[in-house]
Amino acid sequence: MYVDNVIEGFYNAVNGSRVLLFVNYDIDAICAARILQHLFRCDTIAYTLVPVSGIQDLRQAYEENCEEVKYVVLVNCGGTIDIVELLEPEEHVIFYLLDSHRPTDLCNVFSSSQVRIIGNSDPEEGIPEFDDVFREDSDEEEDNSGEDSDPEESRAAKRMRMSEEAILKRRENRLWAEKRDRIVFNYTQFSYYGKASAVQMFELALSLSKDTTDLLWCAIIGVTEQYLLGKVEKQQYVLDSGTLQGYVSKLSHNLDEDPTEAANSTPVTVPRISFTKDLQLALYRHWTVEASLRHSMYSACKLKLWTLKGERRLHELLVDMGLPLVQSRQKFSAMDMVLRQEFHSMIEKLAEKYELDQLVFASFILQYGFRNKYCASDVVYSMLALLESTGREKSSKDCFLEAMDALSRPKKNLLEDGIEKAKVMLTSIFKMVQAALDMQMVISGGPFLYFIIQEGALNARQFSHPHTLILLAQFVLQAYVMVRKKKATNLPLIASAPLDADEGTCLVVGIPPVIEDSPKNFFGKAFEQAAEKTNARAQLDYFDSSVMKLKMEDRSKFFDALAALLS
């Protein structure tokens, strides 16, 4: 059931008890957990934080940590599955779900005892009525249906009447079951995302009068991650950023009026967030202008920078801006001050000429001190790179903690390290896109396109992580559409990369067509049905249903079944 009053129904309920906190491996979840950590420390609420990467990982983590725990909070995990059936908890355990994944599992929605969903139900989610999905057994009524019948009725007539009633009852049950299956399928056929969990937690902090600039920055990062990874449509991002702008104005006003802040710190060192127009150019403040234009998906696709013609067009743009090549190839912070100050206006004037009309978007900037200035998108890319930089020396949990620590201002070195890793990540993505188009690696599978990174390909291991592979898939599809135009605008894309060479597994992600206004994804249900039909050794273990693990040997027959299913 939904918890409308988050303070009374959630926060005050867990206050005074130890809380088990499960957090998914995504940026929004990390930001929400960071806010929760702050609130728990303010009220000395004991908690245990455990990052979880998938459904089986969640089950194992619960078994290891469930002793003497009454309250379990799940951040961006568990909302789309029947959590009670999966974990089989004791009756006194209560689960609080803070999950932006949609659709929410109906067993969680209608649970009246152990499952509480933080927030209000969204009318657009289209949750069906309880009676259309759940029905009590009526076996007892069938068994007793003939007891009060006419005593003078013959046994033969009685048997015939009972037989007819049983047939009608079975028909009614069958029709009801068919209707229920249709309703449930319509409800669950698309996966998508709702309100960012970090925003919900910041609103809780605001209600408790414990909101700070750092907590608001976490909420901003959560919303920005949803936008950059294509989890929400642009209109939703505009609405969310408008709401956050109001919070920024309120905090800035309070800061200006607070005499203790003025007395104890200088204005330069106080962290300040500003809402401003920014450019969809990845990391350009920490990179060179030329490199940022080349490796940002929007500008690279619009200018077709994987071609020689596109390269010439890039140089034309720089010339028209009056930006010398020498300046564009050195770090932005080292450029001539006048060019740096006029960079925004110069590129905005030429946006229409070079079809970069959506290059400017509303964003947020955090600044403290003279040199520390970070755009929200820079932090998202940095945290993504830190989160998915696993290797022999670093486990996934180590990377999770590093990404979380990057939100802490005293640990600026981690954020800077993540930015350098993000440059490598974006460079690898662009090179892979260029190779995919040059070598015609994007193949039509009928109702969808697919792109496979073979074992042994350059930087193949870098794409064995969900977020990096999703960024690559979106870039490949956008670039392919720019080349093929009408033929590809209504086709979705499936991308696959090697995952574990010893196990012979690969990672598979599916993304919707570029023509779709809404980023609703139908691949989760399609993957599930194709795996059942082919008996493919697939693991639908991720909390995002459009991501899955698959045996490489089963990939071709799985794709064939998927093509037949979607035709």
Side-chain angles (χ1 to χ4, degrees):
M1 67 179 188
Y2 286 92
V3 177
D4 297 331
N5 189 334
V6 182
I7 295 178
E8 292 297 327
F10 164 58
Y11 195 76
N12 289 347
V14 303
N15 200 341
S17 303
R18 187 169 79 88
V19 178
L20 182 55
L21 183 61
F22 291 120
V23 185
N24 186 22
Y25 280 82
D26 72 60
I27 306 306
D28 178 37
I30 291 173
C31 292
R34 186 84 180 177
I35 297 172
L36 261 179
Q37 280 183 314
H38 175 82
L39 297 178
F40 287 169
R41 286 168 185 162
C42 285
D43 292 309
T44 59
I45 299 174
Y47 67 92
T48 302
L49 189 151
V50 184
V52 289
S53 59
I55 296 171
Q56 297 307 317
D57 193 17
L58 173 60
R59 189 200 302 236
Q60 183 181 344
Y62 179 74
E63 290 174 356
E64 293 173 355
N65 296 277
C66 65
E67 291 183 12
E68 299 180 7
V69 169
K70 183 180 179 181
Y71 297 109
V72 181
V73 180
L74 298 101
V75 185
N76 282 3
C77 56
T80 58
I81 53 179
D82 186 347
I83 198 68
V84 174
E85 182 182 39
L86 175 73
L87 302 182
E88 299 176 350
E90 295 182 15
E91 291 184 1
H92 70 275
V93 179
I94 296 176
F95 295 93
Y96 287 96
L97 300 179
L98 176 66
D99 197 349
S100 61
H101 293 94
R102 300 287 186 272
T104 307
D105 186 84
L106 292 173
C107 291
N108 295 334
V109 171
F110 294 114
S111 172
S112 58
S113 56
Q114 289 190 272
V115 181
R116 316 281 166 82
I117 302 169
I118 297 173
N120 300 315
S121 60
D122 186 356
E124 294 183 5
E125 196 172 347
I127 298 172
E129 295 294 327
F130 178 86
D131 293 335
D132 291 336
V133 181
F134 298 99
R135 191 178 188 183
E136 294 182 4
D137 294 332
S138 53
D139 295 338
E140 294 180 6
E141 294 177 13
E142 291 184 35
D143 294 339
N144 300 328
S145 58
E147 287 183 5
D148 298 329
S149 57
D150 187 352
E152 296 182 1
E153 186 178 15
S154 66
R155 289 185 177 179
K158 190 182 293 183
R159 281 198 300 269
M160 184 178 293
R161 180 176 58 79
M162 292 176 66
S163 176
E164 289 175 355
E165 288 178 357
I167 291 170
L168 289 172
K169 194 69 177 176
R170 282 198 297 271
R171 182 174 181 274
E172 182 187 338
N173 289 341
R174 179 172 55 80
L175 291 174
W176 182 86
E178 289 175 355
K179 181 183 176 184
R180 179 199 59 197
D181 292 343
R182 188 168 60 253
I183 290 170
V184 172
F185 177 79
N186 290 337
Y187 175 69
T188 60
Q189 64 177 323
F190 294 106
S191 62
Y192 56 103
Y193 287 82
K195 188 176 184 178
S197 298
V199 174
Q200 292 194 64
M201 285 300 95
F202 175 76
E203 289 173 348
L204 171 61
L206 189 65
S207 302
L208 293 167
S209 299
K210 294 174 181 173
D211 53 312
T212 67
T213 303
D214 289 334
L215 299 190
L216 177 55
W217 185 242
C218 288
I220 289 168
I221 299 303
V223 168
T224 306
E225 184 245 10
Q226 285 194 325
Y227 177 66
L228 291 180
L229 288 178
K231 293 180 177 180
V232 294
E233 56 193 42
K234 187 174 182 179
Q235 184 180 0
Q236 185 60 48
Y237 171 75
V238 171
L239 292 173
D240 291 340
S241 58
T243 303
L244 292 170
Q245 182 191 8
Y247 298 146
V248 168
S249 300
K250 177 179 176 293
L251 269 176
S252 299
H253 180 72
N254 292 346
L255 191 64
D256 291 336
E257 289 191 345
D258 189 348
T260 59
E261 287 289 349
N264 296 332
S265 58
T266 60
V268 174
T269 57
V270 172
R272 289 184 178 272
I273 300 172
S274 56
F275 181 69
T276 182
K277 290 194 298 182
D278 202 21
L279 304 173
Q280 292 196 65
L281 297 178
L283 307 173
Y284 74 90
R285 290 181 180 85
H286 312 273
W287 214 349
T288 69
V289 169
E290 187 184 36
S292 182
L293 280 163
R294 178 176 285 108
H295 299 110
S296 300
M297 181 174 72
Y298 181 75
S299 55
C301 291
K302 286 292 185 180
L303 299 173
K304 299 180 184 177
L305 295 180
W306 54 87
T307 63
L308 288 174
K309 186 178 178 181
E311 192 75 16
R312 286 197 298 271
R313 196 163 168 77
L314 171 62
H315 291 155
E316 286 174 16
L317 170 62
L318 295 173
V319 169
D320 284 351
M321 287 170 61
L323 191 63
L325 207 57
V326 175
Q327 293 283 334
S328 69
R329 287 179 176 173
Q330 62 181 326
K331 205 166 183 179
F332 185 80
S333 58
M335 281 170 52
D336 182 88
M337 184 178 290
V338 175
L339 293 174
R340 220 167 49 232
Q341 291 172 343
E342 295 179 355
F343 177 66
H344 271 234
S345 58
M346 288 190 299
I347 200 166
E348 276 188 68
K349 288 176 185 176
L350 297 167
E352 188 176 346
K353 178 181 177 181
Y354 288 89
E355 298 180 2
L356 297 170
D357 47 298
Q358 295 183 25
L359 185 66
V360 179
F361 79 119
S363 187
F364 298 85
I365 291 175
L366 174 70
Q367 184 163 10
Y368 54 96
F370 289 107
R371 301 184 62 184
N372 302 315
K373 187 175 183 180
Y374 299 100
C375 177
S377 58
D378 297 342
V379 179
V380 170
Y381 284 123
S382 173
M383 290 178 68
L384 279 175
L386 289 171
L387 189 64
E388 301 198 335
S389 60
T390 55
R392 293 178 182 178
E393 298 178 356
K394 283 186 182 178
S395 67
S396 56
K397 289 185 179 179
D398 293 334
C399 292
F400 177 93
L401 294 173
E402 279 194 359
M404 179 174 273
D405 286 342
L407 288 167
S408 175
R409 282 185 288 115
K411 296 186 178 180
K412 189 190 72 163
N413 59 316
L414 276 176
L415 185 60
E416 295 288 348
D417 182 43
I419 286 172
E420 295 305 313
K421 289 179 178 177
K423 292 177 187 177
V424 175
M425 177 184 75
L426 293 171
T427 303
S428 299
I429 289 173
F430 178 78
K431 287 180 179 178
M432 187 59 72
V433 171
Q434 191 170 28
L437 296 173
D438 289 346
M439 301 173 66
Q440 298 182 352
M441 295 165 65
V442 182
I443 301 167
S444 174
F448 59 85
L449 303 167
Y450 66 90
F451 165 63
I452 298 174
I453 301 173
Q454 300 294 344
E455 182 72 45
L458 183 66
N459 296 327
R461 304 306 305 167
Q462 188 147 9
F463 302 103
S464 61
H465 304 284
H467 295 112
T468 310
L469 188 57
I470 287 170
L471 284 172
L472 172 65
Q474 290 172 345
F475 204 148
V476 167
L477 184 58
Q478 291 279 357
Y480 188 81
V481 167
M482 292 303 296
V483 174
R484 298 301 175 101
K485 300 237 172 172
K486 294 180 181 179
K487 293 182 180 179
T489 51
N490 60 348
L491 291 176
L493 174 76
I494 298 174
S496 175
L499 184 61
D500 191 317
D502 297 331
E503 294 181 359
T505 56
C506 61
L507 187 67
V508 179
V509 303
I511 59 171
V514 298
I515 200 171
E516 295 289 340
D517 292 331
S518 172
K520 288 190 174 182
N521 197 320
F522 60 82
F523 275 116
K525 209 69 179 173
F527 284 169
E528 184 182 331
Q529 293 180 357
E532 287 177 3
K533 284 189 176 182
T534 57
N535 291 323
R537 289 163 289 180
Q539 293 181 32
L540 300 165
D541 190 57
Y542 290 94
F543 298 113
D544 185 343
S545 60
S546 60
V547 182
M548 63 176 289
K549 297 177 186 176
L550 181 68
K551 281 282 187 181
M552 288 186 186
E553 298 170 0
D554 298 338
R555 187 163 52 193
S556 58
K557 70 175 183 180
F558 176 81
F559 281 10
D560 291 341
L562 206 56
L565 185 68
L566 299 175
S567 294

